[in-house]
Amino acid sequence: MNEKEVAELRRQFRPDHHTITKVYGCYVNENKTVISTFEQSMALAAQEEAESYLALLKKSLSGTLGRNLLDIAFTNQQVMNGAEHALLMKLRETRLEDAETREAFYQKIIDAVYLECNYLILMAFNAYDVPYRTKDDIDMEDCSEEMFSYLICSICPVKKTKPGLGYDYHQQEFHTFAGDHLVSAPEIGFLFPAFDDRQTNLYNALCYTRKVDESHEDFIDAVFHTAVPQPAAEQKRSFEAVLSGSLEEECSMEVVQAVHDQLSGMIAMHKENKIAEPLMIHKDAVETVLEDCGVSEKHLDKFREQFDAEFGEDRAVSPKNIIDEKKFEVKMPQVKIQVKPEARDLVRTETIDGVRYIMIRAEDSVEVNGVSIQFEQEDALQSASSVV
């Protein structure tokens, strides 16, 4: 799925636009015991409650593709006779109305999900009448391309708020109120099947994770039984290790700056051109930068070898997952310096009398703890040198 397709589905969760008839839920405590299950007609729900359900489900389609939204691919064998795929298909075919199938699916999630608090498994079925889209990206609402029938699921922590002072409108007085159990934004979720090329793709699903450094392996294995995509934060750590480990003594500030600059530029251009497909690169894109920086063939060979070992041979990765284009950071055990990416050329390294230094060119005003400081004038320094 691409960004446009995700955005198109997200629009179906607007309060004045949705066609979801029911939501289904299972409330579980931290000991994995089911407290209650329910089904709620959206037509009979209070407006505020209906909007809250829609917001929680919509959240499972939020974030960045490749980071928060992970592509899940089933094999041909799984689609033909895999138990996990068959259960998802049965949930979809019965529109979640079969209680026994729902209970079996709830139990799969309960067995696999570990949260330190109570949580809500919230699910809905929807049938989206996909409008025909012209070459100019204009939707013809009265012309349908196909009916996209899908499941969406959000697994939401339920946290108890702290008791606090509140106003009682009936008594017109302030009183201490006990904490309430409130549903939070989902930690995990999924969409099945995928909406690829604005059509049903039974061979894929989209998995949501709120934290980019968590893979939720047990959940993905239980629901999809597929290989777990490497979390974005882990990809970043892996790329950093590959770069420093393969280049060794040639991994200079200038090389890291050049790699960051090149990948940031690709991300910016992709965004500027409004390309819906996620940006993916191969190791060749980084190799070219390393060659331009004068990295030796010996270390380029090591980079290729370690990159393939870490990410897979000829495997493409998202540059957003391996660098932070919005931040450039220089870090030592005692000091951490954060520089705006566009000003990273102000930082360089230098060795003076055998001592290594990080040099930052101060072109504008400088503050220390919020206080503007002044630099000694060059002529004053020269006078002091002559006296000595």
Side-chain angles (χ1 to χ4, degrees):
M1 290 179 65
N2 61 38
E3 291 180 1
K4 282 187 177 180
E5 290 158 352
V6 173
E8 184 174 352
L9 290 187
R10 281 173 56 84
R11 288 194 289 272
Q12 305 314 305
F13 292 86
R14 294 174 180 170
D16 59 345
H17 204 68
H18 81 93
T19 54
I20 295 175
T21 57
K22 279 185 179 181
V23 292
Y24 299 85
C26 179
Y27 184 30
V28 185
N29 69 16
E30 58 187 2
N31 297 318
K32 295 180 172 290
T33 302
V34 174
I35 298 174
S36 66
T37 59
F38 69 89
E39 57 182 89
Q40 173 66 58
S41 165
M42 294 293 278
L44 299 178
Q47 181 179 347
E48 188 175 336
E49 291 177 0
E51 291 179 1
S52 295
Y53 285 133
L54 290 172
L56 291 170
L57 293 170
K58 181 180 179 180
K59 193 69 178 176
S60 288
L61 292 174
S62 64
T64 305
L65 286 167
R67 289 176 61 81
N68 307 95
L69 296 171
L70 309 176
D71 180 57
I72 301 293
F74 295 99
T75 63
N76 291 338
Q77 187 67 25
Q78 283 183 295
V79 174
M80 287 189 291
N81 54 26
E84 291 77 18
H85 192 276
L87 180 55
L88 290 170
M89 287 296 293
K90 189 172 182 181
L91 289 167
R92 177 174 175 262
E93 289 164 0
T94 60
R95 296 172 170 254
L96 292 177
E97 293 176 358
D98 184 81
E100 185 177 341
T101 306
R102 286 201 315 272
E103 296 295 334
F105 188 71
Y106 289 153
Q107 194 57 52
K108 264 185 171 291
I109 293 179
I110 292 168
D111 291 341
V113 170
Y114 299 91
L115 296 179
E116 295 180 352
C117 59
N118 296 1
Y119 61 90
L120 169 66
I121 305 170
L122 184 67
M123 298 182 68
F125 169 88
N126 195 26
Y128 171 40
D129 197 5
V130 183
Y132 173 75
R133 180 167 291 173
T134 67
K135 293 181 179 179
D136 299 325
D137 278 347
I138 298 174
D139 288 345
M140 310 295 290
E141 298 293 343
D142 55 343
C143 299
S144 174
E145 279 195 317
E146 75 160 71
M147 186 67 74
F148 175 58
S149 300
Y150 63 93
L151 310 171
I152 189 162
C153 174
S154 296
I155 300 173
C156 311
V158 179
K159 300 177 181 179
K160 188 172 183 179
T161 59
K162 294 180 180 179
L165 195 64
Y167 187 71
D168 188 325
Y169 283 92
H170 295 290
Q171 298 185 19
Q172 295 186 342
E173 294 176 346
F174 283 93
H175 294 285
T176 299
F177 290 90
D180 293 322
H181 286 84
L182 299 180
V183 181
S184 303
E187 288 286 329
I188 326 169
F190 72 87
L191 169 83
F192 174 81
F195 186 53
D196 287 325
D197 296 324
R198 305 184 73 234
Q199 296 178 335
T200 302
N201 178 6
L202 297 175
Y203 285 78
N204 287 72
L206 197 65
C207 184
Y208 167 80
T209 175
R210 187 177 71 85
K211 298 177 182 176
V212 298
D213 58 345
E214 292 187 5
S215 60
H216 300 292
E217 294 183 20
D218 292 337
F219 172 80
I220 291 177
D221 183 63
V223 176
F224 308 112
H225 197 54
T226 62
V228 179
Q230 192 178 32
E234 189 176 323
Q235 288 185 43
K236 185 173 183 292
R237 288 191 293 268
S238 296
F239 179 72
E240 292 164 350
V242 167
L243 207 58
S244 59
S246 63
L247 303 190
E248 298 174 327
E249 73 278 2
E250 293 186 23
C251 190
S252 64
M253 171 79 78
E254 290 71 26
V255 168
V256 176
Q257 285 176 319
V259 171
H260 192 277
D261 186 51
Q262 178 69 16
L263 298 186
S264 296
M266 294 172 67
I267 293 170
M269 186 176 294
H270 183 268
K271 184 176 181 181
E272 184 179 337
N273 293 335
K274 298 180 179 179
I275 301 172
E277 296 295 333
L279 175 62
M280 304 295 286
I281 63 168
H282 290 82
K283 64 176 179 289
D284 299 354
V286 182
E287 271 187 66
T288 302
V289 182
L290 300 180
E291 288 176 351
D292 292 342
C293 291
V295 173
S296 65
E297 190 62 36
K298 178 183 72 172
H299 287 111
L300 286 174
D301 288 341
K302 282 188 177 181
F303 172 78
R304 297 184 194 103
E305 181 183 338
Q306 292 187 23
F307 189 98
D308 287 345
E310 194 63 46
F311 296 101
E313 190 171 353
D314 296 326
R315 186 76 177 269
V317 297
S318 168
K320 283 189 173 182
N321 288 357
I322 60 178
I323 68 160
D324 185 345
E325 80 276 17
K326 298 179 181 178
K327 184 175 71 174
F328 189 78
E329 183 178 89
V330 180
K331 188 176 180 181
M332 297 183 295
Q334 303 87 356
V335 179
K336 182 168 69 174
I337 304 167
Q338 290 190 349
V339 184
K340 289 183 178 180
E342 62 271 19
R344 53 183 167 261
D345 61 333
L346 297 178
V347 183
R348 62 185 176 87
T349 57
E350 190 169 329
T351 301
I352 302 174
D353 297 332
V355 181
R356 297 178 300 173
Y357 291 92
I358 295 172
M359 316 293 284
I360 304 174
R361 192 167 72 251
E363 293 184 338
D364 301 313
S365 60
V366 178
E367 293 184 357
V368 176
N369 290 339
V371 179
S372 295
I373 63 168
Q374 303 299 320
F375 289 82
E376 296 182 66
Q377 296 300 317
E378 188 175 350
D379 55 351
L381 289 173
Q382 290 175 347
S383 299
S385 297
S386 62
V387 171
V388 174

